[in-house]
Coordinates of all heavy atoms in Angstrom, one line a residue:
M697 N 102.2 87.5 67.1 CA 100.9 87.9 67.3 C 100.7 88.4 68.8 O 101.1 87.6 69.7 CB 100.0 86.7 67.1 CG 98.5 87.0 67.4 SD 97.4 85.6 67.0 CE 97.6 84.6 68.5
T698 N 100.2 89.5 69.0 CA 100.0 90.1 70.3 C 98.6 89.6 70.8 O 97.6 89.7 70.1 CB 100.0 91.6 70.3 OG1 101.3 92.0 69.9 CG2 99.7 92.2 71.6
M699 N 98.6 89.0 72.0 CA 97.4 88.7 72.7 C 97.2 89.7 73.8 O 98.2 90.0 74.5 CB 97.4 87.3 73.2 CG 97.4 86.3 72.1 SD 97.4 84.6 72.6 CE 95.9 84.4 73.4
G700 N 96.1 90.2 74.0 CA 95.9 91.3 75.0 C 96.2 92.6 74.4 O 96.3 92.7 73.2
V701 N 96.4 93.6 75.2 CA 96.6 95.0 74.7 C 98.0 95.0 74.1 O 99.0 94.6 74.7 CB 96.4 96.0 75.9 CG1 96.8 97.4 75.4 CG2 95.1 95.9 76.5
D702 N 98.1 95.7 73.0 CA 99.4 95.9 72.3 C 100.2 96.7 73.3 O 99.8 97.7 73.8 CB 99.2 96.6 71.0 CG 100.4 96.8 70.2 OD1 101.5 97.1 70.8 OD2 100.3 96.6 69.0
P703 N 101.4 96.2 73.6 CA 102.3 97.0 74.5 C 102.5 98.4 74.2 O 102.6 99.3 75.1 CB 103.6 96.2 74.5 CG 103.2 94.8 74.1 CD 102.1 95.0 73.1
R704 N 102.5 98.8 72.9 CA 102.7 100.1 72.5 C 101.5 101.0 72.9 O 101.6 102.2 73.0 CB 102.8 100.2 71.0 CG 104.1 99.6 70.5 CD 104.2 99.5 69.0 NE 103.1 98.6 68.6 CZ 102.9 98.2 67.3 NH1 103.7 98.6 66.4 NH2 101.9 97.3 67.0
D705 N 100.3 100.4 73.2 CA 99.1 101.1 73.6 C 99.0 101.3 75.1 O 98.1 102.0 75.6 CB 97.9 100.5 73.1 CG 97.8 100.5 71.5 OD1 98.4 101.4 70.9 OD2 97.1 99.6 71.0
L706 N 99.9 100.7 75.8 CA 99.9 100.8 77.3 C 100.6 102.1 77.8 O 101.6 102.4 77.2 CB 100.6 99.6 77.9 CG 99.9 98.2 77.8 CD1 100.9 97.1 78.3 CD2 98.6 98.2 78.5
G707 N 100.0 102.7 78.8 CA 100.7 103.8 79.4 C 101.9 103.3 80.2 O 102.0 102.1 80.4
D708 N 102.8 104.2 80.6 CA 104.0 103.7 81.3 C 103.6 102.9 82.6 O 104.2 101.9 82.9 CB 104.8 104.9 81.7 CG 105.5 105.5 80.5 OD1 105.6 104.9 79.4 OD2 106.1 106.6 80.6
E709 N 102.7 103.4 83.4 CA 102.3 102.7 84.6 C 101.7 101.4 84.3 O 102.0 100.4 85.0 CB 101.3 103.6 85.4 CG 101.9 104.8 86.1 CD 100.9 105.5 86.9 OE1 100.0 104.9 87.5 OE2 101.1 106.8 87.0
D710 N 100.9 101.3 83.3 CA 100.3 100.0 83.0 C 101.4 99.0 82.5 O 101.3 97.8 82.8 CB 99.2 100.1 81.9 CG 98.0 100.9 82.4 OD1 97.7 100.8 83.6 OD2 97.3 101.6 81.6
L711 N 102.3 99.5 81.7 CA 103.4 98.6 81.2 C 104.2 98.1 82.4 O 104.5 96.9 82.4 CB 104.3 99.4 80.2 CG 105.5 98.7 79.7 CD1 105.1 97.5 78.9 CD2 106.4 99.6 78.9
L712 N 104.6 98.9 83.3 CA 105.3 98.5 84.5 C 104.5 97.5 85.3 O 105.1 96.5 85.8 CB 105.7 99.7 85.3 CG 106.8 100.6 84.7 CD1 107.0 101.8 85.5 CD2 108.1 99.8 84.5
R713 N 103.2 97.7 85.5 CA 102.4 96.8 86.3 C 102.3 95.5 85.6 O 102.5 94.4 86.2 CB 101.0 97.4 86.4 CG 100.1 96.5 87.3 CD 98.6 96.9 87.3 NE 98.1 96.7 86.0 CZ 97.6 97.6 85.1 NH1 97.6 98.9 85.4 NH2 97.1 97.2 83.9
E714 N 102.2 95.5 84.3 CA 102.1 94.2 83.5 C 103.4 93.4 83.6 O 103.4 92.2 83.8 CB 101.7 94.4 82.1 CG 100.3 94.9 81.9 CD 99.3 93.9 82.3 OE1 99.4 92.7 81.9 OE2 98.3 94.2 82.9
L715 N 104.5 94.1 83.5 CA 105.8 93.5 83.6 C 106.0 92.9 85.0 O 106.5 91.8 85.1 CB 107.0 94.5 83.3 CG 107.2 94.7 81.8 CD1 108.1 96.0 81.6 CD2 107.9 93.5 81.2
R716 N 105.7 93.6 86.0 CA 105.9 93.1 87.4 C 105.0 91.9 87.6 O 105.5 90.9 88.2 CB 105.5 94.2 88.4 CG 106.6 95.3 88.5 CD 106.3 96.3 89.6 NE 107.4 97.2 89.6 CZ 107.3 98.5 89.3 NH1 106.1 99.0 88.9 NH2 108.3 99.3 89.4
H717 N 103.8 91.9 87.1 CA 102.9 90.8 87.3 C 103.5 89.5 86.5 O 103.5 88.4 87.1 CB 101.5 91.1 86.7 CG 100.6 89.9 86.9 ND1 100.1 89.5 88.1 CD2 100.1 89.1 85.9 CE1 99.4 88.4 87.9 NE2 99.3 88.2 86.6
L718 N 104.0 89.7 85.3 CA 104.6 88.6 84.6 C 105.8 88.0 85.3 O 105.9 86.8 85.4 CB 104.9 89.0 83.2 CG 103.8 89.1 82.2 CD1 104.2 89.8 80.9 CD2 103.2 87.7 81.9
H719 N 106.6 88.9 85.9 CA 107.8 88.4 86.6 C 107.4 87.7 87.9 O 108.0 86.7 88.3 CB 108.8 89.5 86.8 CG 109.5 89.9 85.6 ND1 110.7 89.4 85.2 CD2 109.2 90.8 84.6 CE1 111.1 89.8 84.1 NE2 110.2 90.7 83.6
E720 N 106.3 88.1 88.5 CA 105.8 87.5 89.7 C 105.3 86.1 89.4 O 105.4 85.2 90.2 CB 104.7 88.3 90.4 CG 105.2 89.6 91.0 CD 104.1 90.5 91.4 OE1 102.9 90.2 91.2 OE2 104.4 91.6 92.0
T721 N 104.7 85.9 88.3 CA 104.0 84.6 87.9 C 104.9 83.7 87.1 O 104.5 82.6 86.8 CB 102.7 84.9 87.2 OG1 103.0 85.6 85.9 CG2 101.7 85.7 88.0
R722 N 106.1 84.1 86.8 CA 107.0 83.3 85.9 C 107.3 81.9 86.5 O 107.1 80.9 85.8 CB 108.3 84.0 85.7 CG 109.2 83.2 84.8 CD 108.6 83.1 83.4 NE 109.5 82.3 82.5 CZ 109.1 82.0 81.3 NH1 108.0 82.4 80.8 NH2 110.0 81.3 80.5
S723 N 107.7 81.8 87.8 CA 108.0 80.5 88.3 C 106.8 79.5 88.3 O 106.9 78.3 88.0 CB 108.5 80.6 89.8 OG 109.8 81.2 89.7
E724 N 105.7 80.0 88.7 CA 104.5 79.2 88.8 C 104.1 78.7 87.4 O 103.8 77.5 87.2 CB 103.3 80.0 89.3 CG 102.1 79.2 89.6 CD 102.2 78.1 90.7 OE1 103.1 78.3 91.6 OE2 101.4 77.2 90.7
T725 N 104.2 79.6 86.4 CA 103.9 79.2 85.0 C 105.0 78.2 84.5 O 104.7 77.2 83.8 CB 103.9 80.4 84.1 OG1 103.0 81.3 84.6 CG2 103.5 80.0 82.6
F726 N 106.3 78.4 84.8 CA 107.3 77.5 84.3 C 107.2 76.1 84.9 O 107.3 75.1 84.2 CB 108.7 78.1 84.7 CG 109.8 77.3 84.3 CD1 110.2 77.3 83.0 CD2 110.5 76.5 85.2 CE1 111.3 76.5 82.5 CE2 111.6 75.7 84.8 CZ 112.0 75.7 83.5
F727 N 107.0 76.0 86.2 CA 106.9 74.7 86.9 C 105.6 74.0 86.7 O 105.6 72.8 86.7 CB 107.2 74.9 88.4 CG 108.7 75.2 88.6 CD1 109.1 76.4 89.2 CD2 109.7 74.2 88.3 CE1 110.4 76.7 89.4 CE2 111.0 74.5 88.5 CZ 111.4 75.7 89.1
H728 N 104.5 74.7 86.6 CA 103.2 74.1 86.6 C 102.3 74.4 85.5 O 101.2 73.8 85.4 CB 102.5 74.5 88.0 CG 103.3 74.1 89.2 ND1 103.6 72.9 89.6 CD2 103.9 75.0 90.0 CE1 104.4 72.9 90.6 NE2 104.6 74.1 90.9
G729 N 102.6 75.3 84.6 CA 101.7 75.6 83.5 C 101.9 74.7 82.3 O 102.9 73.9 82.2
S730 N 100.9 74.6 81.5 CA 100.9 73.8 80.3 C 102.0 74.4 79.3 O 102.4 75.5 79.5 CB 99.5 73.8 79.6 OG 99.3 75.1 79.1
D731 N 102.3 73.6 78.3 CA 103.2 74.0 77.3 C 102.7 75.3 76.6 O 103.5 76.2 76.4 CB 103.5 73.0 76.3 CG 104.3 71.8 76.8 OD1 104.9 71.9 77.9 OD2 104.3 70.7 76.1
D732 N 101.5 75.3 76.4 CA 100.9 76.5 75.7 C 100.9 77.7 76.7 O 101.2 78.8 76.2 CB 99.4 76.3 75.3 CG 99.3 75.4 74.2 OD1 100.2 75.2 73.4 OD2 98.1 74.9 74.0
A733 N 100.7 77.5 77.9 CA 100.7 78.6 78.9 C 102.2 79.2 79.0 O 102.4 80.4 79.1 CB 100.2 78.2 80.3
L734 N 103.1 78.3 79.1 CA 104.5 78.7 79.2 C 104.9 79.5 77.9 O 105.6 80.5 78.0 CB 105.4 77.5 79.4 CG 106.9 77.8 79.5 CD1 107.2 78.8 80.7 CD2 107.7 76.5 79.7
E735 N 104.6 78.9 76.7 CA 104.9 79.6 75.5 C 104.3 81.0 75.4 O 104.9 82.0 75.1 CB 104.4 78.8 74.3 CG 104.8 79.4 73.0 CD 104.3 78.5 71.8 OE1 104.4 77.3 71.9 OE2 103.8 79.1 70.8
R736 N 103.0 81.1 75.8 CA 102.3 82.4 75.8 C 102.9 83.4 76.8 O 103.1 84.6 76.6 CB 100.8 82.2 76.1 CG 100.1 83.5 76.1 CD 100.1 84.1 74.6 NE 99.9 85.5 74.7 CZ 100.7 86.4 74.3 NH1 101.8 86.1 73.6 NH2 100.4 87.7 74.4
H737 N 103.3 82.9 78.0 CA 103.9 83.7 79.1 C 105.2 84.2 78.5 O 105.5 85.4 78.7 CB 104.1 82.9 80.3 CG 104.4 83.6 81.5 ND1 105.6 84.2 81.8 CD2 103.5 84.0 82.6 CE1 105.5 84.8 83.0 NE2 104.3 84.7 83.4
T738 N 106.0 83.4 77.9 CA 107.3 83.8 77.4 C 107.2 84.8 76.3 O 107.8 85.9 76.3 CB 108.1 82.6 76.8 OG1 108.3 81.6 77.9 CG2 109.4 83.0 76.2
S739 N 106.2 84.6 75.4 CA 106.1 85.6 74.3 C 105.5 86.9 74.8 O 106.0 88.0 74.3 CB 105.2 85.0 73.2 OG 103.9 84.8 73.6
R740 N 104.6 86.9 75.7 CA 104.1 88.2 76.3 C 105.2 88.9 77.0 O 105.3 90.1 76.9 CB 102.9 87.9 77.2 CG 102.2 89.1 77.7 CD 101.6 90.0 76.6 NE 100.8 91.1 77.1 CZ 100.4 92.1 76.5 NH1 100.6 92.1 75.2 NH2 99.7 93.0 77.0
T741 N 106.0 88.2 77.8 CA 107.1 88.8 78.5 C 108.0 89.5 77.5 O 108.5 90.6 77.7 CB 107.9 87.8 79.4 OG1 106.9 87.2 80.3 CG2 109.0 88.4 80.1
Q742 N 108.4 88.8 76.4 CA 109.2 89.4 75.4 C 108.6 90.6 74.8 O 109.3 91.6 74.5 CB 109.6 88.3 74.3 CG 110.5 87.3 74.8 CD 110.6 86.1 73.9 OE1 109.8 85.9 73.0 NE2 111.7 85.4 74.0
E743 N 107.3 90.6 74.5 CA 106.6 91.8 74.0 C 106.8 93.0 74.9 O 107.1 94.1 74.5 CB 105.2 91.5 73.7 CG 104.9 90.5 72.6 CD 103.4 90.1 72.6 OE1 102.6 90.6 73.5 OE2 103.0 89.3 71.7
L744 N 106.4 92.7 76.2 CA 106.4 93.8 77.1 C 107.8 94.3 77.4 O 108.1 95.5 77.5 CB 105.7 93.4 78.4 CG 104.2 93.2 78.2 CD1 103.6 92.5 79.5 CD2 103.5 94.4 77.9
E745 N 108.8 93.4 77.6 CA 110.2 93.8 77.8 C 110.7 94.6 76.7 O 111.4 95.6 76.8 CB 111.0 92.6 78.2 CG 110.8 92.1 79.6 CD 111.6 90.8 79.9 OE1 112.2 90.2 78.9 OE2 111.6 90.4 81.1
G746 N 110.4 94.1 75.5 CA 110.8 94.8 74.3 C 110.3 96.3 74.2 O 111.1 97.2 73.9
E747 N 109.1 96.4 74.6 CA 108.5 97.8 74.6 C 109.1 98.6 75.7 O 109.4 99.8 75.4 CB 107.0 97.7 74.8 CG 106.3 99.0 74.9 CD 106.4 99.9 73.6 OE1 106.6 99.3 72.5 OE2 106.2 101.1 73.7
Y748 N 109.4 98.1 76.8 CA 110.1 98.8 77.9 C 111.4 99.3 77.4 O 111.8 100.4 77.6 CB 110.2 97.9 79.1 CG 110.9 98.7 80.3 CD1 110.1 99.4 81.2 CD2 112.2 98.6 80.5 CE1 110.7 100.1 82.2 CE2 112.8 99.3 81.5 CZ 112.1 100.1 82.4 OH 112.7 100.8 83.4
L749 N 112.2 98.4 76.8 CA 113.5 98.8 76.3 C 113.5 99.8 75.2 O 114.4 100.7 75.1 CB 114.3 97.5 75.8 CG 114.7 96.6 76.9 CD1 115.2 95.3 76.4 CD2 115.6 97.2 78.0
E750 N 112.4 99.8 74.4 CA 112.2 100.8 73.4 C 112.0 102.2 74.0 O 112.6 103.2 73.6 CB 111.0 100.5 72.5 CG 111.3 99.4 71.5 CD 112.1 99.9 70.3 OE1 112.0 101.1 69.9 OE2 113.0 99.1 69.9
R751 N 111.2 102.2 75.1 CA 110.9 103.5 75.8 C 112.1 104.0 76.6 O 112.2 105.2 76.8 CB 109.7 103.3 76.7 CG 108.4 103.1 75.9 CD 107.3 103.0 76.9 NE 106.1 102.4 76.2 CZ 104.9 102.4 76.7 NH1 104.7 102.9 77.9 NH2 103.9 101.9 76.1
Y752 N 112.8 103.0 77.2 CA 113.9 103.4 78.1 C 115.2 102.8 77.7 O 115.8 102.0 78.5 CB 113.5 102.9 79.6 CG 112.2 103.5 80.0 CD1 111.0 102.7 80.0 CD2 112.1 104.8 80.5 CE1 109.8 103.3 80.4 CE2 110.9 105.3 80.9 CZ 109.7 104.6 80.9 OH 108.5 105.1 81.3
P753 N 115.7 103.2 76.6 CA 117.0 102.5 76.2 C 118.2 102.9 77.1 O 119.2 102.2 77.1 CB 117.2 103.1 74.8 CG 116.4 104.4 74.8 CD 115.3 104.2 75.7
D754 N 118.1 104.0 77.8 CA 119.1 104.4 78.7 C 118.7 104.2 80.2 O 119.1 105.0 81.0 CB 119.4 105.9 78.5 CG 120.0 106.2 77.1 OD1 120.7 105.3 76.6 OD2 119.6 107.2 76.5
R755 N 118.0 103.1 80.4 CA 117.6 102.8 81.8 C 118.8 102.7 82.7 O 119.9 102.4 82.3 CB 116.8 101.5 81.8 CG 117.6 100.3 81.6 CD 116.7 99.1 81.3 NE 117.5 97.9 81.4 CZ 118.4 97.4 80.5 NH1 118.6 98.2 79.5 NH2 119.0 96.3 80.6
Q756 N 118.5 103.0 84.0 CA 119.6 103.0 85.0 C 120.0 101.5 85.2 O 119.2 100.7 85.5 CB 119.1 103.6 86.3 CG 120.1 103.7 87.3 CD 119.6 104.3 88.6 OE1 118.5 104.8 88.7 NE2 120.5 104.4 89.6
V757 N 121.3 101.3 85.1 CA 121.8 100.0 85.4 C 122.6 100.0 86.7 O 123.5 100.8 86.9 CB 122.7 99.5 84.2 CG1 123.4 98.2 84.5 CG2 121.9 99.5 82.9
D758 N 122.3 99.1 87.6 CA 122.9 99.0 88.9 C 124.3 98.5 88.6 O 124.5 97.4 88.1 CB 122.1 98.1 89.8 CG 122.7 97.9 91.2 OD1 123.9 98.4 91.4 OD2 122.0 97.4 92.0
P759 N 125.4 99.2 89.0 CA 126.8 98.7 88.8 C 127.0 97.4 89.5 O 127.9 96.6 89.0 CB 127.6 99.8 89.5 CG 126.7 101.0 89.7 CD 125.3 100.5 89.7
E760 N 126.3 97.0 90.5 CA 126.4 95.7 91.2 C 126.0 94.6 90.3 O 126.3 93.4 90.6 CB 125.7 95.7 92.5 CG 126.2 96.6 93.6 CD 127.6 96.1 94.1 OE1 127.7 94.9 94.4 OE2 128.5 97.0 94.2
R761 N 125.2 94.9 89.3 CA 124.7 93.9 88.4 C 125.6 93.7 87.1 O 125.2 92.9 86.2 CB 123.3 94.3 87.9 CG 122.2 94.5 89.0 CD 121.9 93.3 89.7 NE 121.2 92.3 88.7 CZ 120.7 91.2 89.1 NH1 120.8 90.8 90.3 NH2 120.2 90.4 88.2
L762 N 126.7 94.3 87.1 CA 127.7 94.2 86.0 C 128.8 93.2 86.5 O 129.0 93.0 87.7 CB 128.2 95.5 85.6 CG 127.2 96.6 85.2 CD1 127.9 97.9 85.0 CD2 126.6 96.1 83.9
R763 N 129.5 92.7 85.5 CA 130.6 91.8 85.9 C 131.6 92.4 86.8 O 132.1 91.8 87.8 CB 131.4 91.3 84.6 CG 130.6 90.3 83.8 CD 131.5 89.8 82.7 NE 130.6 88.9 81.9 CZ 131.0 88.4 80.7 NH1 132.1 88.8 80.2 NH2 130.2 87.6 80.1
E764 N 131.9 93.7 86.5 CA 132.9 94.4 87.4 C 132.4 94.4 88.8 O 133.2 94.3 89.8 CB 133.2 95.8 86.9 CG 134.3 96.5 87.6 CD 135.6 95.8 87.5 OE1 135.9 95.2 86.5 OE2 136.4 95.9 88.5
G765 N 131.1 94.7 89.0 CA 130.6 94.7 90.4 C 130.7 93.4 91.0 O 130.9 93.3 92.2
A766 N 130.4 92.3 90.3 CA 130.5 90.9 90.8 C 132.0 90.6 91.2 O 132.2 90.0 92.2 CB 130.0 89.9 89.8
R767 N 132.9 91.1 90.4 CA 134.3 90.9 90.7 C 134.7 91.6 92.0 O 135.4 91.1 92.8 CB 135.2 91.3 89.6 CG 135.2 90.4 88.4 CD 136.2 90.9 87.3 NE 135.9 90.2 86.1 CZ 135.6 90.7 84.9 NH1 135.4 92.0 84.8 NH2 135.4 90.0 83.9
Q768 N 134.2 92.8 92.2 CA 134.5 93.5 93.4 C 133.9 92.9 94.6 O 134.6 92.9 95.7 CB 134.0 95.0 93.3 CG 134.8 95.8 92.3 CD 134.2 97.2 92.1 OE1 133.3 97.6 92.7 NE2 134.9 97.9 91.2
R769 N 132.8 92.3 94.5 CA 132.1 91.6 95.7 C 132.9 90.4 96.1 O 133.0 90.0 97.2 CB 130.7 91.2 95.3 CG 129.7 92.4 95.4 CD 128.3 91.9 95.3 NE 128.0 91.0 94.2 CZ 127.7 91.4 93.0 NH1 127.6 92.6 92.7 NH2 127.4 90.5 92.0
S770 N 133.5 89.7 95.1 CA 134.2 88.4 95.4 C 135.6 88.6 95.8 O 136.3 87.7 96.2 CB 134.1 87.5 94.2 OG 134.8 88.0 93.1
A771 N 136.1 89.9 95.6 CA 137.5 90.1 96.0 C 137.7 90.3 97.5 O 136.9 90.5 98.3 CB 138.0 91.4 95.3

């Protein structure tokens, strides 16, 4: 069940803004939110991230964020 605006109805800028806000508030919700708030935060994040991945399946991936990049940093 989607609460708030359906992610498919958000423009690209709005989707990015919503994702950034959720990521900014994650720690506060995790450490201090009620069980319901944490569950809702998690489900909304999944909804928005899923929509982002649908729109940008070939998003740019930083090579430093891959295992090979980590291996090169530790060598």
Side-chain angles (χ1 to χ4, degrees):
M697 174 178 85
T698 296
M699 292 179 67
V701 176
D702 187 316
R704 295 172 293 187
D705 294 335
L706 293 171
D708 289 347
E709 287 182 31
D710 292 330
L711 178 62
L712 290 172
R713 184 189 69 244
E714 292 294 316
L715 279 167
R716 286 186 178 110
H717 179 72
L718 281 169
H719 285 268
E720 289 170 358
T721 60
R722 182 63 181 178
S723 292
E724 188 69 21
T725 304
F726 180 77
F727 288 114
H728 305 290
S730 67
D731 290 345
D732 287 342
L734 181 58
E735 183 179 321
R736 182 64 204 124
H737 197 280
T738 299
S739 65
R740 184 63 173 168
T741 300
Q742 290 172 338
E743 291 171 357
L744 293 171
E745 286 178 348
E747 179 61 23
Y748 181 87
L749 293 173
E750 284 286 321
R751 291 184 196 187
Y752 303 102
D754 297 322
R755 72 193 191 288
Q756 182 179 359
V757 176
D758 182 348
E760 292 290 316
R761 303 291 298 184
L762 301 173
R763 285 187 184 167
E764 187 60 33
R767 287 185 190 118
Q768 290 175 1
R769 283 192 308 275
S770 66

